[in-house]
Each structure stands twice: as C-alpha cells, then as structure tokens.
Amino acid sequence: MTRQVLLLNSDKPEVLRALTRRPDVTVRVMTRKVYADLYRDHETAYVDSFADLTQVEQAAYELAAHGPVDHVIAATEKSVVAAGLVRALLGVPGPGVDQSLWAAHKRAMKDRLRAAGLPVTDHAQAATLFDVPGAAERTGWPIMIKPVFGAASKCTYRVDSEEEFTERHGSGDFADLAAGRLPIQVERLVRFTHEYHCDGVVHEGKVAHAAVSRYYLPPLRITPNLNSGYIADRKDPFSRQVLELHAQVVSALSLPAGVTHLEVFRTGTGPVIGEVAVRPGGMGISRMWWHAFGLDLWEEFVRVSTGEPPSPAPLTPRPATVGRTRLPALPGLREQVLTRPGVLEVRTPEECASPAHLEAYFEAQDEESAERVIAELHSLAVPPA
C-alpha cells in the first residue's frame, strides 16, 4: 500500500532523496516557485512564504485534492508551524499547531521550557523594535535580539545598553530585523565558556539516539565559511548533563517523533538552553554523524516522520573523535585538505549543495587533537596576514 507524504521543503535535497528511495511512498510538495525545478516529478503547490498561513491553507487543500495524506513533513525551520496547521486542516496525525509553535517560535518555546523547570535565560517578546527597551527592562541588560521566527544566526544582535540600542537603531543597524515585520525576541545575554549542540532521533516520544557535539567557536563568533565542531566525549560529566537535558526538552515539548537539534551554552552554573529545532542540523552535522555512528540523520528523520522505527544503534561506533569544518571553495584547497592526516572526506560544493563551500570531515585522537586539526584546516583557508 502506497504511503502519501506531503512535504514542506525549500532546497533541502537530502529529505527528498530519502523519501524517493522508498518504493511505497508518493511525495507531494509544498514549496516556493523558485525551487520548482527540484520537484518536476511530483505534484506541487506553491506559496510565497510558509509564514503566509492563508497561502499554506490554500496549497494544502490543492494538494489534498489528489487524495488522502498519511504524513506531513516539515524539512525546514520556516515550515514547522505551517506543517502543524496542515496536519490540523487535513486531519493528519503528528504535531499540531501548538506543538509546532513550541518547536519554532522562540518565545513560545522558551515559555514552554521554563514552565517545565528547564534552564533558559530571561526573555520577553517585543512587538516592534521600538518596544525592545521596554522588554529589556524586564529581562535586564545586556541582551540579544532576534526575530521570534528564524533559522541559524540571521538578524541576531548583541546590545549592551539602552543607550547603545538607541544609537544603533537610529543609524539603521537593525534594518534587516525591522524588515522582517515579525515580533522580536529579547533575551538576557548568557555568559558562557563554550557552546554545544545535542542532536537526537525521537520515536514514539522517546529518544532513540542522541549525541553531544561542541562547536569549535560559537556560530555568532565565526563566519559561516568556517563553521566547525566535533563529537564530544559522551562520558564527560557535562555531556551526560546535556544528554539528560535533551531528553527533558523532548518531554517538555511533547514531541512524538522527529530529529532534534538542541543548542546549549556551558556556563559556570551548568547548561543553559539556547533553543531547539525539530529537523537535522545544518553545516555538515548530519554527515558528521554518519562518519561517527554510521547513521544518516536525514534518513532517520524520514523514518520516524513516516512512522517507521529508527535504525538500530551501531554496535561499534568509530572510537576516535570525529569532527567537521566548512571551508571556502578555493582553488586547490580540497586537494590540500585531503593530504592531511586523519581527514576522512572533503565534500565538493555540489555534494554539500552549497556553491561556495567545501565540507571536511576528520578523525582525531581526542577533543584537544580535534581542535588542533580544525585550527590547521582553517589556516589553510585563511592564511595569517
């Protein structure tokens, strides 16, 4: 019997490949017209933006006219809430609108996590940029500001005082944040020593697989060209804390199934949650998992999103520390990196679906050695002045 999947996606090819490998799955797609060529072999409906829920509703009914839908999958952060609405409209099992908001709307997410007693920084929602100082009075300065909906580190700013905010706002520093026409998340600045992420596979409300990784440098402190990190030692006490925190987050969000990407700050008083996404992490994280554990997070995402059980855990994960780094796609750099000891693979821009980047994966003896490898690879891409 054929399973009917309605996929909300942009240009993420991994999820489409995983779905089309299944002979019993038929895929219908909701996307933007700019990605039309990727879905020529599928029934497709278009929206200008997943944030326009009126268009999402119309596109959902257009696709449902081709027959009942068994599963709705949101492959991008921007489509998570839209997918919740589509499930509610079509009567499809899975996270509804409220659960989807907890997984995508930064204020709703942190309200939910705080209500569960989990460690999040003080936060408030501002309707517009003009309301930020008032919100900051409730959280305390310094602050981070960002849109309540958003992926990665786009439109995210640190502001240390009301005077600094007023000056920068007046000079147009936050124009991109204002242009989004979204409420603004205001958060008390977290002072941390390192930033981690915990990625996991959730099935029937329980964590089936999870691993903690450490960023070489926090994403806000390094260019996306050099985003990098490595799998952390799961026996380390802090890693064990993060794994337990991840399980608590899954429970607090009432997540039935999916792949999670939880950002965590290490502070002097313990872990503090940054935010959580319910989709595989980007920047090569899924491929790093494949090298470390033999598990493809996009394959696991499709499995649990369509009601299949997750893959069994590998009996012998790679004993070394596995790491990754993005690099700019400079002439000859891939060949240079491949000659370095411990390098497992360097993916081309075509393979990692990014025209300007390489993705390098390596193994090292331990975390300290992994940091030295990353520093060396970065020096090849950005020689000292």
Side-chain angles (χ1 to χ4, degrees):
M1 184 174 179
T2 301
R3 293 177 289 167
Q4 302 291 329
V5 173
L6 198 166
L7 173 66
L8 286 73
N9 197 19
S10 55
D11 59 345
K12 301 284 187 186
E14 302 94 337
V15 64
L16 187 62
R17 285 198 294 262
L19 284 166
T20 55
R21 281 197 294 266
R22 289 159 163 75
D24 66 331
V25 167
T26 296
V27 183
R28 304 174 219 171
V29 181
M30 187 185 301
T31 190
R32 293 167 54 205
K33 284 188 178 179
V34 67
Y35 304 121
D37 286 349
L38 299 177
Y39 305 107
R40 284 175 293 183
D41 298 329
H42 304 278
E43 297 287 351
T44 308
Y46 301 106
V47 295
D48 295 327
S49 167
F50 286 120
D52 188 331
L53 296 182
T54 299
Q55 290 189 17
V56 168
E57 177 185 13
Q58 293 170 344
Y61 288 137
E62 180 183 338
L63 291 168
H66 298 281
V69 173
D70 299 304
H71 306 284
V72 175
I73 298 179
T76 68
E77 197 146 339
K78 292 179 180 178
S79 63
V80 168
V81 174
L85 174 64
V86 172
R87 292 187 193 100
L89 291 171
L90 303 185
V92 177
V97 177
D98 281 352
Q99 286 172 293
S100 299
L101 276 172
W102 301 335
H105 187 289
K106 299 181 194 305
R107 193 267 308 149
M109 174 196 303
K110 292 190 175 178
D111 284 351
R112 181 78 178 180
L113 296 176
R114 171 157 283 180
L118 301 184
V120 296
T121 191
D122 290 340
H123 59 280
Q125 181 173 311
T128 69
L129 276 171
F130 293 101
D131 300 308
V132 165
E137 289 302 315
R138 301 194 296 276
T139 63
W141 299 88
I143 59 172
M144 300 296 295
I145 57 174
K146 61 189 83 171
V148 292
F149 287 113
S153 302
K154 294 178 181 177
C155 306
T156 299
Y157 299 95
R158 170 179 171 167
V159 188
D160 286 344
S161 66
E162 183 171 0
E163 293 74 22
E164 179 189 343
F165 175 83
T166 300
E167 180 181 345
R168 293 176 65 184
H169 187 198
S171 63
D173 277 9
F174 310 128
D176 54 354
L177 189 52
R181 303 181 68 183
L182 286 170
I184 295 160
Q185 176 81 350
V186 178
E187 298 181 356
R188 177 74 178 260
L189 180 72
V190 177
R191 300 192 183 278
F192 61 95
T193 58
H194 301 93
E195 187 172 355
Y196 292 73
H197 56 92
C198 184
D199 302 274
V201 179
V202 179
H203 177 60
E204 295 181 344
K206 303 295 183 183
V207 178
H209 308 298
V212 179
S213 302
R214 178 171 152 178
Y215 287 111
Y216 175 66
L217 288 174
L220 282 174
R221 297 182 187 172
I222 194 167
T223 168
N225 281 342
L226 299 174
N227 186 291
S228 48
Y230 49 86
I231 304 287
D233 181 359
R234 70 183 298 117
K235 297 177 182 177
D236 177 81
F238 186 77
S239 292
R240 291 201 299 267
Q241 279 185 280
V242 174
L243 287 168
E244 175 58 27
L245 187 60
H246 173 261
Q248 293 172 331
V249 167
V250 168
S251 176
L253 298 182
S254 301
L255 181 65
V259 167
T260 53
H261 178 71
L262 173 69
E263 305 275 358
V264 178
F265 301 113
R266 184 171 191 163
T267 76
T269 57
V272 174
I273 296 167
E275 52 197 52
V276 61
V278 186
R279 44 83 181 155
M283 302 286 183
I285 291 169
S286 180
R287 190 69 175 178
M288 180 173 68
W289 260 59
W290 184 83
H291 280 292
F293 310 117
L295 293 173
D296 179 345
L297 283 177
W298 283 104
E299 170 64 19
E300 299 308 306
F301 177 69
V302 166
R303 278 176 172 268
V304 297
S305 297
T306 57
E308 299 174 18
S311 300
L315 296 177
T316 54
R318 192 182 291 271
T321 298
V322 173
R324 64 173 179 89
T325 186
R326 266 194 167 192
L327 297 168
L330 302 174
L333 182 58
R334 180 172 184 266
E335 291 70 24
Q336 265 189 294
V337 173
L338 282 168
T339 67
R340 292 301 191 267
V343 171
L344 301 168
E345 176 187 33
V346 181
R347 304 191 91 194
T348 65
E350 294 74 24
E351 290 169 325
C352 62
S354 178
H357 298 108
L358 303 170
E359 287 177 356
Y361 302 88
F362 63 87
E363 62 178 1
Q365 183 176 353
D366 50 31
E367 293 185 5
E368 187 177 343
S369 301
E371 296 219 345
R372 286 198 297 268
V373 172
I374 292 172
E376 179 186 0
L377 296 182
H378 287 187
S379 71
L380 294 176
V382 186

